[in-house]
Amino acid sequence: MRVTAVVPVPVTFPTDREPMSFLFVRVETDAGVTGYGEACDSFGCSYAGVVAAAVTDVFAPLLVGRELGAPDAEGQRLRAWTRRRVGDAGVGPQARSAVEIALWDVTGRAAGRPISTGRVPVYASCGFLEEGPAEWHEAQVRPLLERGVRMVKVRTGPDWQADLATLEKLRAALGDGVEVMVDGSETYTLPTALRIADRLAALGVAWFEEPMPQCERAGIEELARRSPVPIAYGEHLGGIDDALDALTRRQLAVLQPDASTLGGIGEAKRVADLGASFGARVVPHVCAGPVSFAANLHLAAMAPAVHAIEYPAFLQPAWAALGTGAPLGSGAITDGAIGVPDGPGLGVALDEAAAAAHPYRPPAHLAGVRGAHDRQGFPGRFVGDV
């Protein structure tokens, strides 16, 4: 089976929160088997056109005409060919992730069997506490709690003292039977992150995710050493070497790999297995389209260290509109877990007609993107408080 085409498909979809872009990849073969993959840049794929160019210019020429081997081996070969040219973090691995996932899909579809099987517990990934009072947040998560979900994550922003007041009320409303986590979205400096961590510990919060910008490794290491709450990172790691460095330096206690950001399913599984060796809690990150979510569900089923996966409920309309195959909506969750798609390959594919109906628009042309015009026009919301 030889690859005949590797085609990026960038999309912009109007979610209830804000317009989000997604970058899918379609791999075609001479056997008539087509597979899909998807990239993520930690929140959808804001610059989907840039990642699409990397797919077209870098990875497609390395695959078209090639007879396919095992998808993980192909992914590692793509990394070896491009590591020195496009790098091991950011756009390079994001684009490679989408291609590698599509190769898994092709292989599974050609064999007529799913990549993996099983059920995976999910946690409810919710919005920013600034968006409403505790009662509003409790109502937002209630449908998932009614499906048996017992883990909830909320996000803090620059006005963190007001956010923590809301969190205290929400924590009480959810009760002791629900585990609560907080995502700092890379908003804080070390002193602020330490102050917040002390408050979160008093509320029994299970982890504090990305309090500081990922690039500030020395500060993160100090935060992890002094924080009374476990520190979580992973969605911005560039692969197993990046993860090994962070784990060795004890910069995290909760590891959040994403098959759509760090090189694909094979690399994400190696990262998950590595996390278990360091005693880290391994909980995959998810914040993209239906193909990415399916890929991470298969990752979770393949990696024994994974015991839960992120479930961003606000993306359900995008999953329903852009995806075909296994249902991914909250109705598919029972007893707090969702089944891994059991169709051939990923068990989920891109609806090409829906993608064509939502053409990509660069984020500079989008209105209402969170944090796009803070601090005199600079995107300062997620680069550390001042």
Side-chain angles (χ1 to χ4, degrees), residues 292-382:
S292 173
F293 184 39
N296 279 294
L297 283 172
H298 284 287
L299 159 67
M302 293 166 62
V306 174
H307 298 292
I309 190 171
E310 185 168 9
Y311 189 88
F314 80 98
L315 284 174
Q316 290 181 78
W319 294 343
L322 297 171
T324 65
L328 302 174
S330 59
I333 299 172
T334 57
D335 296 327
I338 190 169
V340 177
D342 59 4
L346 291 174
V348 169
L350 174 66
D351 185 324
E352 295 266 5
H358 296 91
Y360 169 65
R361 291 183 294 155
H365 301 151
L366 301 177
V369 176
R370 179 173 294 273
H373 301 292
D374 291 349
R375 297 184 186 164
Q376 293 76 49
F378 291 95
R381 179 186 180 91
F382 303 130

Side-chain angles (χ1 to χ4, degrees), residues 210 214 232-238 252 254-258 261-262 285:
E210 291 200 320
Q214 174 71 58
Y233 276 91
E235 67 193 72
H236 291 106
L237 296 177
L252 57 88
V254 180
L255 179 62
Q256 300 168 305
D258 185 335
T261 70
L262 52 68
H285 167 267

Side-chain angles (χ1 to χ4, degrees), residues 194-355:
L194 286 168
R195 292 177 66 190
I196 295 172
D198 286 340
R199 297 275 297 276
L200 298 184
L203 293 173
V205 167
W207 76 62
F208 192 11
E209 178 176 336
E210 291 200 320
M212 301 168 59
Q214 174 71 58
C215 58
E216 297 175 2
R217 296 294 182 85
I220 292 170
E221 191 170 334
E222 179 68 5
L223 173 65
R225 186 182 70 82
R226 296 170 58 184
S227 171
V229 176
I231 299 301
Y233 276 91
E235 67 193 72
H236 291 106
L237 296 177
I240 193 164
D241 298 311
D242 219 4
L244 178 60
D245 182 66
L247 287 162
T248 301
R249 295 176 181 275
R250 301 294 178 183
Q251 293 168 350
L252 57 88
V254 180
L255 179 62
Q256 300 168 305
D258 185 335
S260 288
T261 70
L262 52 68
I265 293 173
E267 186 77 346
K269 184 180 183 302
R270 281 187 288 278
V271 169
D273 293 341
L274 179 68
S277 297
F278 281 84
R281 187 177 186 179
V282 183
V283 189
H285 167 267
V286 174
C287 198
V291 175
S292 173
F293 184 39
N296 279 294
L297 283 172
H298 284 287
L299 159 67
M302 293 166 62
V306 174
H307 298 292
I309 190 171
E310 185 168 9
Y311 189 88
F314 80 98
L315 284 174
Q316 290 181 78
W319 294 343
L322 297 171
T324 65
L328 302 174
S330 59
I333 299 172
T334 57
D335 296 327
I338 190 169
V340 177
D342 59 4
L346 291 174
V348 169
L350 174 66
D351 185 324
E352 295 266 5

